[in-house]
Amino acid sequence: MKIGVFKFSSCDGCQLAFFEMEEELFKIPSISYFLEAQSVNEYGHFDVSFVEGSVSNREDEERIRDIRQRSKVLVAIGACAVSGGIQSVGNFEELLKTRPIKDYVDVDYELAGCPISAHTLRDFLMTLLHGRTPSLPDHPVCLECKRKGKVCVTVSRGEICLGPITRAGCGAICPSYSRGCYGCYGPVSRPNLEAFLKCFPQVEEPIKLSFNAYNKVYRENLWKSE
């Protein structure tokens, strides 16, 4: 299996999750292209390509299309690649657009988070290497809280929490420390935004300033924007 890891507009944080895998990293048959990790790289065709970062200019657009053509499986990793990242906040004020990669090419899988979880990446890679189909969560953080036996911070403390509309995967870190979810993993595919905003109308503006603000779910249901 030939693997490529690519960076667009981002902070590099999601690529670092590969290094957190430690010994599992050496079990990967062939990382052909990974500028962050090795000095010799082969830009050819790939069984799986991992892409961090958002598309911010015409050169990026051409490059992501080329990577897509060279890749059997394309995986977006992190909030920048999945939702546009913090740099996409400028889209609401400027003509130039910073967009997630699926606005330009078909994406097979998305690993959400800012940054992504090394545990999630490890499980995802091992699943692919064993020829199985990965299954990624699309349930809200609230379910993770319940599984961990955590008391709801909204009910018990009156904290505003984005858990009901945010994709699980973080292990409910913030609610576990009695803090409301910040929405790091972006929205679930079908959040009940209307009901949520009736309870917490004050969160609409903070969402618009977050690194998941340009996620397609929010664009279509909150901002009515393309």
Side-chain angles (χ1 to χ4, degrees), residues 25-79:
L25 185 62
F26 299 103
K27 296 178 182 178
I28 301 174
S30 177
I31 298 183
S32 303
Y33 190 95
F34 191 178
L35 294 180
E36 190 88 3
Q38 56 197 33
S39 56
V40 179
N41 293 277
E42 178 187 347
Y43 187 68
H45 287 83
F46 306 93
D47 294 301
V48 184
S49 289
F50 293 89
V51 179
E52 174 192 75
S54 58
V55 174
S56 299
N57 52 48
R58 182 60 60 84
E59 181 181 350
D60 284 350
E61 184 179 341
E62 293 173 355
R63 184 169 163 241
I64 192 59
R65 286 199 163 97
D66 186 55
I67 292 171
R68 172 71 271 188
Q69 291 178 351
R70 294 170 178 270
S71 307
K72 292 180 181 178
V73 174
L74 187 68
V75 186
I77 57 173

Side-chain angles (χ1 to χ4, degrees), residues 4-216:
V5 183
F6 301 90
K7 170 182 161 51
F8 285 73
S9 296
S10 62
C11 71
D12 288 11
C14 292
Q15 291 181 88
L16 296 180
F18 282 89
F19 299 104
E20 294 181 46
M21 291 172 55
E22 299 174 346
E23 61 185 49
E24 283 92 347
L25 185 62
F26 299 103
K27 296 178 182 178
I28 301 174
S30 177
I31 298 183
S32 303
Y33 190 95
F34 191 178
L35 294 180
E36 190 88 3
Q38 56 197 33
S39 56
V40 179
N41 293 277
E42 178 187 347
Y43 187 68
H45 287 83
F46 306 93
D47 294 301
V48 184
S49 289
F50 293 89
V51 179
E52 174 192 75
S54 58
V55 174
S56 299
N57 52 48
R58 182 60 60 84
E59 181 181 350
D60 284 350
E61 184 179 341
E62 293 173 355
R63 184 169 163 241
I64 192 59
R65 286 199 163 97
D66 186 55
I67 292 171
R68 172 71 271 188
Q69 291 178 351
R70 294 170 178 270
S71 307
K72 292 180 181 178
V73 174
L74 187 68
V75 186
I77 57 173
C80 292
V82 173
S83 299
I86 193 67
Q87 56 270 26
S88 68
V89 171
N91 293 344
F92 299 104
E93 304 294 336
E94 303 170 9
L95 293 177
L96 296 177
K97 299 292 185 181
T98 294
R99 294 179 177 270
I101 64 175
K102 67 180 175 184
D103 279 22
Y104 299 94
V105 297
D106 291 333
V107 173
D108 297 294
Y109 298 99
E110 293 181 334
L111 303 187
C114 185
I116 62 171
S117 159
H119 173 76
T120 299
L121 177 61
R122 181 186 297 113
D123 287 350
F124 181 84
L125 260 174
M126 293 303 110
T127 299
L128 285 181
L129 290 175
H130 287 88
R132 300 195 301 269
T133 301
S135 178
L136 297 171
D138 189 27
H139 53 265
V141 172
C142 293
L143 185 55
E144 289 188 313
C145 278
K146 297 297 183 290
R147 286 173 174 170
K148 296 181 73 172
K150 299 299 179 181
V151 177
C152 176
V153 296
T154 299
V155 174
S156 65
R157 299 169 58 91
E159 294 274 349
I160 295 175
C161 179
L162 297 184
I165 61 173
T166 298
R167 186 184 302 270
C170 67
I173 295 174
C174 292
S176 295
Y177 288 92
S178 300
R179 301 186 66 176
C181 168
Y182 288 96
C184 298
Y185 276 55
V188 293
S189 60
R190 297 177 65 187
N192 191 342
L193 290 170
E194 182 178 357
F196 185 79
L197 290 174
K198 281 183 179 180
C199 295
F200 304 113
Q202 66 270 46
V203 304
E204 184 167 344
E205 192 61 28
I207 289 175
K208 201 168 187 177
L209 297 175
S210 76
F211 37 73
N212 284 297
Y214 218 63
N215 186 286
K216 189 174 183 180

